[in-house]
Amino acid sequence: MSNKPNAYANVFLCILLLLLFTSITRADTVEKGVIEPITLDENELQWLSEHQPIRVGVDGYFPPYSYINENGQIVGMAIDTLFLMGKKLNIQFELSDETRWPNIVKNLQKKDIDIVLTMVNTPNREKKFLFTSPIVYKSLVIIGKKNKHHIHNRSDIANKTIALVKGYQYTDKIIDEFPSVTPLLVDNMREAMEAVQANQADAAITFFAAANYYQLKYSFSDLKFVAFYEKNNANESIAVRNDFPILASIMQKGLSSLSSAEKIAINEAWGANITLPKDYQDLIEFAAVAGVLILLLSVWILQARRNNQALTIANINTANANMALNDLKNNLEQNVLERTLQLTISENRYRGLVESLEDEYIFYQHDIEGFIQYVSPSVTHILGLTISGFGEYYYKYLTDNPKNKLISGYIQRIINGEKLAPFEMEIFAANGIIHTFEVLERPMYDDKGECIGCEGIAHDVTSRKQQQDMLYQLSHYDDLTGLINRYFFKILLDENIQTCLLNQQTLALLFLDLTRFKIINDNFGHSAGDFILQQAATRISTTLNGTFTVSRFGGDKFCIALPNTSADDANVIATELVEVFQHHFEFLEQTIILGCRVGISLFPEDGQDAEAILSQADSALYEAKKRPNGVAFVTNNKHYTISVDSLLNKDYAKR
C-alpha cells in the first residue's frame, strides 16, 4: 500500500508531461506559421470538386473588416480570415465584383453567389440563408461632435437627427426602438460621419472599429466617441445559400479550426484593436492542467505535510490570476477605447497644425491619373467645398487660364522624379470666385519604391496676386485715361526698337500735344480737362490701325510708337490725327474746340534708342507748332515737313 501514492504520482506526472508537450507543440506550430489542413469526409470532398471555385460576396465599404483600398483591391480582416480558411480547407474562393451591400444580398438570394462573407444573423434572414458561427465580433457606438454635449448615452438620441446606413440591419432596429429619432439615411459609414462633421446630423451610429478606422484615415478631428449603443450585438457570420447545407458545414469546420493565436495575429496585423471572443479551448486545457496539478499536489500532501504551505500559495496565485483574467475580460474594450483616443490625440497634434493653417493652405494627395484621394478640411474654409465633394480629378476644378494647361506636364515631370519649383494654378471656388494657388508637389512611393501619385501643399495667394496686379496697374498705367504711362512706354519703346533692329524695320514715333488745353482748364475747371483728356485718348486709339503703342506722357501730351512704319505712312497718320482733333468736344452741353500738333522722329535715322528718338520727336513737336498743318519731322536738327498734297500725289519729298 505504501507504493500506491508513488504510482499515482508517476501516472499523473506522465499525464502532465504529455499535456505540456502537446501545448508546446501547438504553440511552436503557431509561431512557425504552419497551417494544418482540415480533414473533410468523402461527401464534402466530392461536393467541393464539383462546385469550385466558391463565389463570395464581400461588402466593400466595411473597414477594417472588408473594404476597397487605394489600389482597387478588396482587403481587410475578414478577407484574411477567409483566405486562411481556404488554405486549411484547400478551397479556391472567387470574390464577386459587386461590393455594394444591398446588391450583394440580392445576388445571394438569386444564387448568383454562394456565400456572403459577413452578415448579421437575424430571424428573418435565417428563413432565407444558412449561417455559421460569428466570424466578426463588433459593437455599435454613438459618434458625435466634440463641441456638442447633448448626447451622453443611448437614450439621449431620442428626438435627435441620427445618421444611419441604408440596408444595415441595425438601422430598422434603432428606428423601431426610438420612433422619435429623425433618421438621415446614407450609403456608407463614412458618409454618416461626414454628416455629423457637417452638422447635418446630431450623431451617427456605426461600428466601433469602422468608426476608429475612418476617424484616423480621414481626420475627423471634430468627432468623438460618445457612448456604446450596444456591445457585441451585431456579430457577423458567414451566410450561405439555403440549397448548399454541405457548404455551410464545410465553412463552419474552417471557422472552428481557427486558433486564438491565428485570430489575434490577423487582428494585430490590421491594428484594429478589436476584442475577440474568448476561446474556451485554452481555458479547458488550462483547467485540465490545473486539475492534474491539484491532484498531484493532493498526493504530495499525503506524502509530505511540509508542502502544504506551498500548495496554499499556489492556490492563492491561481485565484488571483483568474480574478485578473476576469477583470481583463470586463475592461478590455474600455482599455482599447482609451488607447484609441490616445492615438487619435497624437494624430490630431499633426492635424491641428494642418488645420491652424486653414486660412491659406490646402494639403492634398492624388494618384498618377490625377484623382484626388485626400484633401485637408481647410478646403471647406478656403473654397467652400466639402471633403467628400472634392473627390474628383483635379483638372475638373481648374479655370481656362493658359497657365493651367501647363500643370499636367509639371505633374508628369514630378512623377518621373524631377524636383520642380512651386507653380501657379487657378481654381473655381464653390461660389464661382477664382482663387490663385502657389503649388508645391512631391511624388509618393509605395513599399516597392514605385511612384503611386503626388502629395502637395497649395498656398492661396489670391490676395497677394490682386495686390500685385493693383501695384502693377498703378505703376504702369495712367489712372485717368487707362493708357500706359511714361515709365512703361519707354520700356516698351526700347523693346520695339530691338525688334525692329532684328527685323531690319523702321519705327516712327509721334509726339502729340493738345492746343488750347490750358484755356479749357482755366475756364471750365479740371473736371472738364479730365473729360477732354479721356476723350482725346479714345480718339487717338480709335484712329490708329495695325500695331501701335499709345501713352499719356504727362499733362496734355501723348506719345505713339508705330513699329514697321515709314516716314510717309507716319506723316499720313499724323495728318489724320490733326484732322480728328479738329472736331469739337461736348461737355455739359458746352461746345469745346481744341486742336493738336504732332512731332515725328524715326528709328534708326533720328536715334538708336528710346531716349534719343523721344528727344528728337519733342524737338519736332516744337517745330510743328509753327507749321500751319501742325505736323513736322526732325533729323540731324534740320526741320522739314512733308506736305499732305504731295503724299496724296505719291510725290514724296526726299529727305
Side-chain angles (χ1 to χ4, degrees), residues 596-598 620-633 638-641:
C596 75
R597 296 291 183 267
V598 182
L621 177 62
Y622 179 78
E623 179 66 20
K625 293 179 180 180
K626 304 175 185 179
R627 304 289 180 177
N629 66 343
V631 178
F633 286 82
K638 294 181 180 179
H639 303 282
Y640 69 93
T641 62

Side-chain angles (χ1 to χ4, degrees), residues 9-112:
N10 291 334
V11 171
F12 290 136
L13 183 60
C14 291
I15 295 173
L16 175 61
L17 291 174
L18 180 60
L19 289 172
L20 290 174
F21 176 78
T22 302
S23 176
I24 292 172
T25 303
R26 287 186 60 195
D28 185 63
T29 299
V30 172
E31 289 178 357
K32 291 181 179 179
V34 177
I35 299 175
E36 298 181 358
I38 301 170
T39 302
L40 300 177
D41 59 35
E42 292 184 2
N43 291 335
E44 291 170 334
L45 292 173
Q46 179 63 30
W47 189 92
L48 283 176
S49 66
E50 296 172 355
H51 292 84
Q52 292 210 58
I54 303 302
R55 301 167 298 174
V56 184
V58 181
D59 188 347
Y61 303 90
F62 187 34
Y65 304 103
S66 60
Y67 65 98
I68 302 173
N69 67 8
E70 292 83 356
N71 298 322
Q73 300 171 329
I74 300 179
V75 297
M77 295 171 57
I79 298 296
D80 287 358
T81 303
L82 176 70
F83 286 119
L84 177 57
M85 292 167 55
K87 290 180 181 179
K88 292 188 172 190
L89 294 167
N90 194 25
I91 294 179
Q92 179 183 356
F93 293 110
E94 178 181 279
L95 302 185
S96 171
D97 292 335
E98 179 56 63
T99 57
R100 295 285 181 177
W101 177 250
N103 296 335
I104 294 172
V105 177
K106 291 178 182 178
N107 287 343
L108 186 60
Q109 289 176 327
K110 294 188 297 183
K111 298 180 174 51
D112 291 337

Side-chain angles (χ1 to χ4, degrees), residues 268-325:
E268 290 178 348
W270 285 95
N273 297 324
I274 301 168
T275 303
L276 291 171
K278 182 62 182 175
D279 189 344
Y280 290 98
Q281 183 62 35
D282 292 340
L283 188 59
I284 293 172
E285 294 177 1
F286 175 80
V289 173
V292 172
L293 288 174
I294 293 172
L295 290 174
L296 288 173
L297 287 172
S298 298
V299 174
W300 292 339
I301 288 172
L302 295 174
Q303 292 179 329
R305 291 288 183 180
R306 65 177 180 270
N307 294 331
N308 185 52
Q309 184 178 3
L311 178 60
T312 303
I313 294 173
N315 287 333
I316 292 174
N317 290 337
T318 301
N320 290 336
N322 287 332
M323 291 177 61
L325 184 61

Side-chain angles (χ1 to χ4, degrees), residues 446-467:
D446 60 13
D447 295 339
K448 299 179 181 178
E450 296 181 359
C451 183
I452 57 175
C454 296
E455 58 184 356
I457 177 172
H459 182 198
D460 187 359
V461 295
T462 306
S463 298
R464 188 181 76 188
K465 290 288 292 183
Q466 291 173 345
Q467 293 173 357

